[in-house]
Amino acid sequence: MKRSRTTAGWPAAAAVLLTSGCAVLDSGSADAGGPGASYEQAYADHEPLHVVGYPSTGSLLVVQRLVWDIADGRTDELRKLATSDSGETDARKTAENWIKGFGAGARGEVTGDFYDDGSERQVVVLYFHDTRQVEDFSVRLDGDAGKEDWRVLMKSTDFKDATQAPGWAPKEPGGTGSRTKNT
């Protein structure tokens, strides 16, 4: 059977994209899927994040890592994703709250709804489909100039506050503006 021109190069293109994505994630942290685990293995071990809106490469990768760390109950790895102003104690307590509150949902289908343009910061709403839970948080560039990395604001030390659905977010992904480009 002869391949068409439009699909003949697909396997090579997919390999390049997969390798590029791994390098980006692994450059930020080799522990994306566990100590010494590769991105490919972490991806194979988890349900992929469904995406709505306009994430940047960095905001998408940090949110994917966040969901995987919640699913795996990895408090220390989740805490490492916190912004510098989250504070050690607040980041640890937030990580514990998110794992306890969203762990079951994170092991199933999850959609990340990315708001704004993602050049420096984004609001993200996660939809945990199996448990019907919704959570919002902010991600942003954090660190010294030239060494910035995407991080998650973690200041939800109260369990009820940390797991309460946001009143402003739509009940389903993509409902209020994340699909519309800002003009």
Side-chain angles (χ1 to χ4, degrees):
M1 177 182 282
K2 187 176 179 181
R3 289 186 187 181
S4 71
R5 277 188 179 179
T6 58
T7 60
W10 172 243
V16 169
L17 286 173
L18 181 59
T19 304
S20 300
C22 296
V24 170
L25 182 61
D26 289 340
S27 69
S29 173
D31 58 20
S38 68
Y39 177 81
E40 294 95 343
Q41 187 62 51
Y43 188 86
D45 291 345
H46 299 90
E47 177 80 24
L49 180 68
H50 302 265
V51 177
V52 177
Y54 301 96
S56 68
T57 302
S59 66
L60 177 58
L61 289 174
V62 76
V63 171
Q64 181 66 84
R65 287 179 55 205
L66 177 123
V67 172
W68 290 343
D69 288 344
I70 291 172
D72 294 343
R74 298 171 45 149
T75 304
D76 289 338
E77 297 308 314
L78 185 56
R79 180 193 50 77
K80 290 177 186 176
L81 300 178
T83 58
S84 59
D85 64 338
S86 292
E88 183 68 28
T89 303
D90 288 356
R92 175 166 292 287
K93 187 62 181 167
T94 300
E96 291 169 355
N97 287 336
W98 285 352
I99 288 168
K100 181 180 176 184
F102 302 115
R107 287 186 285 280
E109 185 177 335
V110 180
T111 299
D113 199 343
F114 291 76
Y115 287 77
D116 308 316
D117 70 1
S119 59
E120 293 180 18
R121 66 181 63 236
Q122 282 191 291
V123 171
V124 180
V125 179
L126 291 180
Y127 294 85
F128 301 94
H129 297 277
D130 293 350
T131 58
R132 307 289 299 159
Q133 293 171 292
V134 180
E135 174 63 56
D136 70 326
F137 54 91
S138 296
V139 297
R140 66 170 186 184
L141 286 172
D142 190 46
D144 297 331
K147 295 183 183 183
E148 294 178 319
D149 203 3
W150 282 89
R151 299 286 180 217
V152 181
L153 183 62
M154 294 185 183
K155 290 191 171 201
S156 300
T157 59
D158 177 70
F159 180 76
K160 184 177 177 182
D161 178 55
T163 58
Q164 184 173 10
W168 66 269
K171 302 262 187 253
E172 299 294 326
T176 59
S178 63
R179 292 178 181 236
T180 308
K181 289 188 177 193
N182 297 340
T183 54

